[in-house]
Amino acid sequence: MEEQRKSARYKTIARARIPALFEGESLLKDISITGCCIECTMQVEAHPDTKYGIVIEPEGSSRIGQFELIAEYRWNRSGSDACIIGFFIVEFPKGKQFQRYVDYLAYHSS
């Protein structure tokens, strides 16, 4: 099934932290200029339409420093060994780290 999205999503291997939801790190599965998916190994209780700060630490090869996004929780898919959470990005970080990272991923996916 092909996904219909307004913005291309780019696969990534960055780390992500959402301090308001859980301790520890998780994996940023994909990201676009409008949203992202995060996978963690624990079940997460997030509240619909709630904004969370997400700290992204890009892979070292990108040479891009960590940055923070403000994103709204949209959905959650829980399995027996992982939980995948979908977010809609509502606030971009100050500085250009986020845009540089999306550009980096777009370049490497083509």
Side-chain angles (χ1 to χ4, degrees):
M1 181 166 85
E2 188 174 317
E3 290 186 35
Q4 299 295 317
R5 295 193 180 271
K6 291 180 182 177
S7 303
R9 286 276 177 121
Y10 303 106
K11 301 282 185 212
T12 174
I13 55 171
R15 289 187 240 164
R17 290 190 326 268
I18 310 172
L21 283 180
F22 55 86
E23 294 296 321
E25 293 183 346
S26 53
L27 175 68
L28 179 67
K29 288 183 59 93
D30 62 43
I31 192 167
S32 74
I33 60 169
T34 59
C36 65
C37 288
I38 295 176
E39 182 175 3
C40 54
T41 57
M42 63 195 88
Q43 299 304 313
V44 176
E45 285 288 327
H47 303 285
D49 301 320
T50 301
K51 295 176 185 174
Y52 294 96
I54 304 172
V55 179
I56 307 293
E57 187 178 326
E59 55 273 22
S61 62
S62 72
R63 295 186 177 172
I64 297 170
Q66 80 174 21
F67 55 89
E68 184 175 356
L69 302 172
I70 305 300
E72 208 170 80
Y73 168 80
R74 290 297 168 98
W75 54 265
N76 181 334
R77 290 189 189 124
S78 296
S80 59
D81 59 346
C83 178
I84 300 173
I85 311 164
F87 291 93
F88 176 73
I89 298 171
V90 294
E91 254 182 74
F92 298 99
K94 293 178 174 82
K96 297 186 180 204
Q97 304 289 59
F98 172 68
Q99 186 61 52
R100 284 182 59 216
Y101 189 53
V102 172
D103 290 345
Y104 166 83
L105 294 171
Y107 175 78
H108 286 289
S109 70
S110 60

